[in-house]
Amino acid sequence: MHRLAHYTLRLMSAVPEPVAAPSPPPVEPCADCGAELTGPYCAQCGAKRFSRDEQQFQPYMKKLLLERLHLDGRLWRTLWLLVSRPGFLTVEAHSGRFGPYLSARKLFLLVGALYFLFGSGTFYRLDVMMADGAERYQAFVEYSAREQGVEPAVHREHLEARFQRVNKLVQLGGVLLLACALPLLYRQPRRYFGEHLTFALHVAVFRFLVGAVGQPFRPLLGTWVPSFSLVNLAFLIYVGIALRRVYGGSWVATWAKALVLCLIAIATVFLSIGAGMSSVFFLWR
């Protein structure tokens, strides 16, 4: 009996004491939508988990370069496919494949901003366009400067800035004209407006690119006509190939529709110039 009790005590002492289960980590809400985070990204809105350590210099600059400016290869891949394969990116976007490429909206905003910021566009500068009537334009600047009570040189810069601002806004609005023309040209099969707008954004980016390439030739040639003609010829060929890939149809009908879109783009250019000059000469007060 003594041995049995001793053996029982040894067995009881060998049983490990219950260990308390580790408490679950505190639930961290998403900084954007407030949903519970279960990983590095929010399952509700897709926002990345915020970490204060990312505000340090090296992580912050890396995020700025790789994500904000899209210098992770997607920008260059997207631009290359945009130029080398007209309409391909639109087809990919219509199929829901967005991952490997920049979206049409981001690409348009980025390239358009760079074009209007660094591409001076000598044909679209008011002082260059008024070169033939330089004396009359200078007289107008001096007269309106006296009315405003400012120096003529300062007022001239203000007028140029107003012309550029209105000119660029109208050119950007021309993308909507292209998007609105597409449902009229392609009624069957019916597509959503966003699908037409994606195509219009892509071809507008190409026009920005080919326009930037054609700008340096204007001072060399001494006139805007050859460079303007080459830019629109390249745009016409590009739009025709892109329309065929995205919308299908016969080549004859496709080239006719491409010509219509090209004429709309050309009309937008002259409309933007006219609107810009109107803002200077008629609305300067």
Side-chain angles (χ1 to χ4, degrees):
M1 181 64 68
H2 178 70
R3 289 183 177 181
L4 181 60
H6 179 70
Y7 183 71
T8 303
L9 291 175
R10 289 186 59 184
L11 288 178
M12 293 178 62
S13 61
V15 176
E17 297 182 359
V19 179
S23 59
V27 176
E28 181 180 350
C30 174
D32 286 345
C33 66
E36 296 183 2
L37 290 175
T38 58
Y41 292 91
C42 177
Q44 186 71 23
C45 66
K48 190 176 184 298
R49 182 191 296 266
F50 175 76
S51 174
R52 189 169 177 270
D53 295 336
E54 294 181 356
Q55 305 304 308
Q56 299 179 17
F57 179 77
Q58 184 175 356
Y60 185 86
M61 295 304 297
K62 182 179 179 180
K63 182 179 180 180
L64 176 65
L65 292 176
L66 297 184
E67 296 184 9
R68 300 305 179 189
L69 297 182
H70 300 282
L71 297 180
D72 56 354
R74 285 195 300 164
L75 173 61
W76 314 118
R77 185 187 307 115
T78 304
L79 288 176
W80 171 250
L81 291 172
L82 178 81
V83 175
S84 62
R85 302 184 64 182
F88 173 78
L89 291 177
T90 306
V91 173
E92 292 287 280
H94 290 177
S95 302
R97 291 184 287 271
F98 303 102
Y101 324 109
L102 254 63
S103 67
R105 296 184 299 272
K106 290 182 179 179
L107 185 64
F108 175 79
L109 292 176
L110 178 60
V111 176
L114 293 176
Y115 176 76
F116 286 127
L117 186 61
F118 298 106
S120 59
T122 52
F123 173 60
Y124 303 116
R125 287 190 58 85
L126 182 61
D127 53 359
V128 176
M129 295 180 59
M130 298 298 298
D132 296 336
E135 295 182 0
R136 296 179 59 187
Y137 178 56
Q138 183 61 29
F140 168 78
V141 171
E142 293 176 356
Y143 170 76
S144 58
R146 288 195 302 269
E147 293 289 326
Q148 296 289 328
V150 296
E151 293 293 330
V154 176
H155 188 58
R156 190 185 186 100
E157 292 299 323
H158 289 170
L159 294 178
E160 179 67 38
R162 175 179 295 179
F163 172 80
Q164 291 290 337
R165 181 169 59 252
V166 176
N167 179 21
K168 293 170 183 178
L169 287 175
V170 176
Q171 288 193 58
L172 293 177
V175 180
L176 295 178
L177 291 179
L178 292 177
C180 292
L182 285 168
L184 301 177
L185 297 174
Y186 292 95
R187 298 192 177 187
Q188 297 297 333
R190 296 190 60 180
R191 297 175 182 266
Y192 293 113
F193 179 76
E195 296 176 307
H196 296 302
L197 182 59
T198 299
F199 179 88
L201 291 174
H202 281 145
V203 298
V205 170
F206 177 81
R207 188 172 180 84
F208 288 152
L209 296 176
V210 72
V213 173
Q215 281 183 8
F217 292 99
R218 192 272 177 191
L220 297 177
L221 299 175
T223 177
W224 57 268
V225 176
S227 60
F228 186 74
S229 302
L230 290 175
V231 165
N232 285 284
L233 178 60
F235 182 72
L236 174 63
I237 297 174
Y238 182 89
V239 171
I241 299 174
L243 285 175
R244 171 76 173 184
R245 173 169 283 161
V246 175
Y247 294 95
S250 65
W251 276 113
V252 175
T254 298
W255 287 119
K257 295 172 182 179
L259 180 61
V260 172
L261 295 179
C262 187
L263 292 176
I264 292 176
I266 295 174
T268 301
V269 172
F270 287 101
L271 180 63
S272 66
I273 295 173
M277 295 182 70
S278 298
S279 68
V280 170
F281 293 112
F282 298 106
L283 303 177
W284 58 271
R285 290 187 297 270

